[in-house]
Amino acid sequence: MHITDILVTGEPIIYGAMVSMALGGLAILFVLTYFKKWKWLWREWLTSVDHKKIGVMYILSALLMLFRGGVDAMMMRVQLAFPDLGFLNSQHYNEIFTTHGTIMIIFMAMPFLIGLMNIIVPLQIGARDFAFPYLNALSFWSFFFGMALFNISFVIGGSPDAGWTSYTPLSGAAMSPGPGQNFYLMGLQLSGIGTLATGINLMVTILKMRAPGMKLFHMPIFTWSTLVTCFIIVFAFPILTVALALLTIDRIFGAQFFTLTGEGLPMMWANLFWMWGHPEVYIVILPAFGIFSEVIATFAKKRLFGYNVMVWSMIVIALLSFLVWVHHFFTMGAGAFVNSVFSVSTMLIAVPTGVKIFNWLATLYKSKIEFTVPMLWSLAFIPSFILGGVTGVMLGMAAADYQFHNSYFLIAHFHYVLIAGTVFACFAGLVFWYPKMFGHKMNERLGRWAFWLFFFGFHVCFFPQYFLGLDGMPRRLFITNVAEWLPLNVISTVGAVGMALGFVVFVYNVYYSFRYSERETTGDSWNGNGRTLEWATTTPVPYYNFATVPYVDEIDPYVRMKEEGKTTFEEDEVKPIHMPSYTGQPFIFMALLGLASFGLIFEWMYLAVFGLIGGVVMMIRRSFDYDDGYYVSVEEIKETEKKARGL
Amino acid sequence: MAESKKRVPMNHVIGFILSLVMTLVAAWAAIQSDLPVTWVIIGIMILALLQAGVQLFMFMHVTEASSGNGHVPWNMMFHGFALAGILVAGSLFVMSFGHDHGDHGDMGDMEQQEEQHSEDHSGH
Ligand code: HEM
Ligand SMILES: [Cu+2]
């Protein structure tokens, strides 16, 4: 086999991407070597099992993916605003909308949220790490290699092009030969291991490792949202795993689960995909709800209104999320009765969601709002998300959905919920907890610029798309030079540019704040408004998190701790702390599985078998691993805490 | 430093080998054997139950009443069964109900049509 057989050739844009990737890669290698950072990288990051560092790596990867998915988006918007330019051909357009959708959901939204959970949840419940720190590192590296695999597809082998939903029979071997679709299957499969493991890990952490006295109904609302999300992950992801495996067996080993021939059932793919897919959209929205609740309570300086109701509505949403999947394929023609059942269950979800909206409004009511940047994102979320929710209910009416389905109306709906919900929450959460992670805040002025650019850009981009949908413009179409559609498409592209600018300002702000922001001196970064335990730790957070874990028997325990002058460092109660050792195994293990997946993608079976055997060896290695971690001495803890607290 | 117990976890090793063997037998039954289809299906079902048993008793903590939270595995298993119920019953309901000519060949081309002229099928 020759190298040109697997490299994608003949596309100027892709050549450009190759060159810039190669240059970027070289630059990174050079910087690491020049500043002698290889050891540091391995010792401090690649082998880390510290939940805070893993969280930071998740968030960095997610930001990188937001960039990659964003570039895809801008290319689509250019094509749609100037259809006569011939910027993209149909094949390239198909590949781009496929990678855009997959990356944004699987490799951007989920890891961003999981990254925030990684850092914040143990701090909120008074834990010193995850229940299974080794497994946590494993999760991250499985996600990382899955992401890497998916992302190289466009230069090696060709990208998948059957949509992020990968519907059969289009995505089967007969109609999509070649490695493209395999990249989708293996990339998702590999990173799915990590998601599932994180679900279990966080669930156990939250159920078993809370501070003494903390009952479930004393937990901060973000932790609650994480717990509920973990349940959805644990029950929904196996469905995806099985569906992906079946399709892989179809494509690589010639089975007939989803084919048109050989008694396959192509619609079964859609059925299984959405049994996972609908819960998946709640996996990315519930943590967002949790973040907004924290931010709103903090800057309204009040206890969250209706805490119990908030929790219960999340639980109800989680249950219902498993009962509505058919609304994604009403037009499959399952008949009026089936569609009616799922129409009703779909609309029911709007009830608990509406309850939450009213609770946020009630929290804000008559409060002294402090308009910080995270609060701006949260306040913007409420009306924007309502537009997405209301149009969701419209889509949920099966009869009407025969009109809306697969039009830009649908596109506008899910961008209103995913961007105004999930992406706004990621920004809000990152800015909110940034001082906890990096020891300084993000610059306020630049933060506002990023917010307003992104906010206006978002509405200008997606609001017109509702009307494009009503005018009949279908999704996933690359030639759109119909006179009635053109003006709205141009407006939409202008909005997209606004969002891109907002993102650029945001990233610049990371650099700017690193250089110029004041360093935090207390742990309670937002003018002493912190309500939950994460603000009780010092900044930067010591690697063992809590010198002493406080007794908690209420919601917002830190409010009272401050009144009573208590801290997470009660000097005479300090005991040695048991911590897990760093290890390179998760990295190596997942690199081997990544190699195996790469082999399967190109159907190079020797490579696949080699990687798999390597994986088994790593598992055996782990099974007989007797490293029980180490203890941090009392003297070291006292010294660290006194320095951090200026005692 | 806690005393590390260098003990081979025999229970787990046996469980692991058992589950591998059962998986291989199932694969062999489906791919290589000449057994009639009904027997293959019944065989796989039985193996699946045994497999679940191995997981529960040799790896999970169903037998440890003393773990304090002994209800957790049962609780999760209940949810697991509920979900499996939704999965199977829901799929049957969705995939076979209301199609008055509901053989799969037909669903295949419906899927292609759904984007263009789905109204053709809306009445079925
Ligand atoms: C009030 C709550 C909601 C309702 C009633 C609702 C309803 C719907 C319906 C009926 C569809 C399918 C329309 C069609 O294909 O013709 C849909 C699509 C979609 N929804 Fe929602 N939705 C809601 C909230 C959400 C949330 C919170 C998210 C994610 C954060 C979300 C993400 C999506 C996505 C990604 C799709 C499109 C998937 C695709 O075809 O590629 N929705 N929604
Ligand atoms: Cu849905």
Side-chain angles (χ1 to χ4, degrees):
Chain A
M1 168 145 319
H2 208 261
I3 185 79
T4 48
D5 290 346
I6 60 166
L7 277 186
V8 177
T9 48
E11 279 273 355
I13 302 175
I14 292 183
Y15 284 138
M18 276 181 202
V19 172
S20 50
M21 271 166 81
L23 287 181
L26 283 178
I28 292 174
L29 292 185
F30 176 76
V31 170
L32 284 174
T33 313
Y34 187 79
F35 292 103
K36 300 201 174 61
K37 288 289 187 191
W38 284 105
K39 265 236 179 72
W40 165 84
L41 186 68
W42 177 257
R43 226 174 337 111
E44 297 288 320
W45 295 93
L46 303 193
T47 58
S48 176
V49 296
D50 182 338
H51 69 99
K52 300 179 284 302
K53 289 193 172 171
I54 292 175
V56 168
M57 292 193 284
Y58 264 119
I59 291 175
L60 284 180
S61 315
L63 282 173
L64 189 68
M65 286 300 104
L66 186 55
F67 173 72
R68 156 83 211 262
V71 171
D72 284 348
M74 292 313 293
M75 289 165 74
M76 288 189 285
R77 282 317 321 168
V78 169
Q79 170 67 26
L80 293 178
F82 309 103
D84 295 324
L85 213 59
F87 177 55
L88 299 175
N89 61 31
S90 70
Q91 174 60 22
H92 201 171
Y93 192 83
N94 290 351
E95 292 179 8
I96 289 179
F97 72 64
T98 302
T99 52
H100 167 77
T102 316
I103 285 178
M104 285 303 199
I105 294 216
I106 309 276
F107 300 120
M108 190 286 288
M110 272 208 299
F112 210 130
L113 295 167
I114 290 180
L116 290 170
M117 292 172 183
N118 252 278
I119 299 170
I120 299 306
V121 167
L123 294 178
Q124 282 195 331
I125 60 174
R128 288 183 171 128
D129 206 316
F130 272 40
F132 312 112
Y134 178 102
L135 187 66
N136 192 28
L138 200 89
S139 293
F140 172 74
W141 291 111
S142 98
F143 148 72
F144 182 87
F145 285 109
M147 168 187 90
L149 213 55
F150 190 86
N151 273 282
I152 53 167
S153 64
F154 76 105
V155 289
I156 303 175
S159 288
D161 57 359
W164 84 280
T165 47
S166 190
Y167 274 5
T168 52
L170 175 60
S171 61
M175 295 169 88
S176 300
Q181 218 49 42
N182 296 348
F183 270 113
Y184 172 92
L185 294 169
M186 297 317 297
L188 262 61
Q189 191 70 282
L190 189 56
S191 61
I193 299 173
T195 312
L196 190 53
T198 300
I200 297 169
N201 209 340
L202 269 168
M203 194 192 277
V204 179
T205 308
I206 295 173
L207 291 178
K208 291 283 191 186
M209 295 174 59
R210 296 191 304 276
M214 187 189 266
K215 298 229 176 62
L216 284 180
F217 275 87
H218 295 148
M219 294 193 313
I221 197 84
F222 178 60
T223 300
W224 251 117
S225 73
T226 303
L227 179 63
V228 177
T229 305
C230 287
F231 268 85
I232 310 185
I233 289 180
V234 167
F235 287 111
F237 260 77
I239 307 177
L240 178 72
T241 306
V242 169
L244 290 172
L246 293 179
L247 187 51
T248 309
I249 296 173
D250 261 14
R251 288 182 53 87
I252 299 183
F253 302 103
Q256 312 271 359
F257 292 110
F258 303 120
T259 55
L260 281 170
T261 52
E263 300 194 46
L265 269 176
M267 269 320 290
M268 194 47 132
W269 168 267
N271 186 54
L272 291 177
F273 183 88
W274 287 116
M275 276 185 147
W276 160 78
H278 188 84
E280 165 68 14
V281 304
Y282 281 91
I283 292 171
V284 295
I285 201 66
L286 285 182
F289 287 172
I291 294 170
F292 291 130
S293 301
E294 298 283 3
V295 172
I296 287 175
T298 305
F299 296 112
K301 306 191 187 91
K302 281 197 347 207
R303 221 187 103 167
L304 187 66
F305 183 87
Y307 168 91
N308 287 1
V309 180
M310 288 295 235
V311 171
W312 278 108
S313 50
M314 283 197 288
I315 294 173
V316 172
I317 289 177
L319 291 177
L320 283 175
S321 75
F322 282 96
L323 297 172
V324 300
W325 75 96
V326 175
H327 68 216
H328 292 278
F329 49 93
F330 280 144
T331 52
M332 167 177 139
F337 182 59
V338 174
N339 281 0
S340 307
V341 169
F342 285 94
S343 208
V344 172
S345 63
T346 300
M347 288 184 217
L348 275 180
I349 285 207
V351 177
T353 317
V355 168
K356 294 188 74 78
I357 300 266
F358 282 112
N359 277 304
W360 286 312
L361 293 179
T363 310
L364 291 168
Y365 181 65
K366 284 200 173 161
S367 65
K368 262 223 176 87
I369 300 175
E370 200 180 328
F371 290 93
T372 57
V373 176
M375 191 61 167
L376 287 179
W377 289 107
S378 309
L379 292 176
F381 148 78
I382 296 175
S384 314
F385 185 83
I386 289 176
L387 279 173
V390 168
T391 51
V393 176
M394 292 169 72
L395 290 165
M397 295 185 277
D401 187 54
Y402 270 78
Q403 298 300 317
F404 300 137
H405 183 57
N406 276 354
S407 76
Y408 261 71
F409 192 84
L410 165 69
I411 302 290
H413 156 68
F414 70 68
H415 284 94
Y416 260 83
V417 279
L418 280 169
I419 296 182
T422 308
V423 177
F424 280 20
C426 290
F427 284 138
L430 183 56
V431 179
F432 185 51
W433 284 305
Y434 203 84
K436 273 280 114 164
M437 303 174 196
F438 301 107
H440 59 268
K441 285 209 196 70
M442 290 184 89
N443 180 281
E444 180 96 18
R445 195 171 43 87
L446 285 174
R448 284 173 196 279
W449 270 100
F451 165 75
W452 287 111
L453 279 168
F454 201 90
F455 174 74
F456 276 116
F458 162 71
H459 281 285
V460 172
C461 182
F462 289 104
F463 198 67
Q465 295 187 4
Y466 284 124
F467 298 95
L468 278 171
L470 297 178
D471 283 345
M473 180 167 148
R475 76 193 288 195
R476 297 177 175 172
L477 192 72
F478 90 112
I479 295 198
T480 50
N481 44 2
V482 172
E484 295 142 54
W485 296 342
L486 204 55
L488 287 181
N489 267 321
V490 172
I491 294 176
S492 185
T493 300
V494 171
V497 173
M499 293 167 81
L501 289 178
F503 179 71
V504 170
V505 175
F506 191 90
V507 172
Y508 174 68
N509 196 4
V510 171
Y511 164 78
Y512 183 89
S513 311
F514 174 70
R515 289 287 303 267
Y516 302 111
S517 266
E518 230 177 276
R519 304 296 119 159
E520 292 292 313
T521 48
T522 78
D524 196 8
S525 312
W526 295 96
N527 296 336
N529 280 326
R531 311 181 70 78
T532 39
L533 280 188
E534 75 268 33
W535 304 109
T537 58
T538 56
T539 296
V541 187
Y543 60 96
Y544 50 77
N545 295 354
F546 298 91
T548 55
V549 182
Y551 185 85
V552 178
D553 57 359
E554 61 189 329
I555 306 165
D556 296 346
Y558 190 42
V559 176
R560 188 199 303 245
M561 279 173 71
K562 280 186 278 192
E563 282 165 15
E564 297 177 353
K566 290 205 181 117
T567 65
T568 57
F569 175 54
E570 301 296 325
E571 200 170 343
D572 32 301
E573 287 168 28
V574 177
K575 291 201 195 77
I577 296 175
H578 186 200
M579 294 299 290
S581 333
Y582 280 15
T583 160
Q585 287 180 35
F587 179 85
I588 299 170
F589 185 6
M590 284 302 141
L592 284 165
L593 286 196
L595 201 67
S597 311
F598 189 76
L600 272 181
I601 287 167
F602 286 96
E603 305 184 26
W604 297 337
M605 290 307 161
Y606 290 111
L607 187 61
V609 170
F610 171 78
L612 280 177
I613 291 178
V616 172
V617 169
M618 290 307 293
M619 281 205 262
I620 295 174
R621 170 89 183 68
R622 170 64 180 163
S623 300
F624 298 95
D625 188 348
Y626 296 100
D627 184 348
D628 286 336
Y630 62 98
Y631 279 87
V632 191
S633 69
V634 173
E635 298 80 68
E636 188 189 333
I637 299 170
K638 287 193 176 163
E639 198 183 314
T640 319
E641 293 290 325
K642 285 193 175 139
K643 215 171 93 200
R645 292 170 193 271
L647 294 174
Chain B
M1 189 97 196
E3 202 52 41
S4 46
K5 315 173 243 352
K6 300 226 176 207
R7 192 172 56 82
V8 177
M10 268 331 272
N11 217 4
H12 290 182
V13 175
I14 295 172
F16 185 58
I17 293 174
L18 265 181
S19 56
L20 280 184
V21 168
M22 284 193 282
T23 310
L24 290 178
V25 171
W28 169 82
I31 300 170
Q32 288 278 316
S33 74
D34 295 328
L35 295 171
V37 175
T38 346
W39 281 107
V40 172
I41 293 177
I42 293 176
I44 292 181
M45 292 289 192
I46 294 174
L47 284 170
L49 286 178
L50 290 176
Q51 184 78 262
V54 167
Q55 301 299 321
L56 287 173
F57 287 96
M58 306 190 86
F59 290 99
M60 325 280 262
H61 308 283
V62 267
T63 46
E64 283 173 31
S66 57
S67 70
N69 263 353
H71 61 279
V72 169
W74 296 107
N75 189 341
M76 291 303 278
M77 276 164 65
F78 167 76
H79 288 105
F81 279 118
L83 181 79
I86 295 175
L87 199 84
V88 175
S91 298
L92 283 174
F93 177 51
V94 171
M95 299 294 293
S96 58
F97 198 84
H99 300 271
D100 49 8
H101 41 68
D103 60 285
H104 27 96
D106 215 57
M107 287 175 211
D109 62 46
M110 262 181 213
E111 198 205 16
Q112 289 168 355
Q113 286 181 4
E114 71 180 36
E115 259 134 55
Q116 294 132 24
H117 32 86
S118 40
E119 64 275 19
D120 292 355
H121 277 77
S122 59
H124 293 270

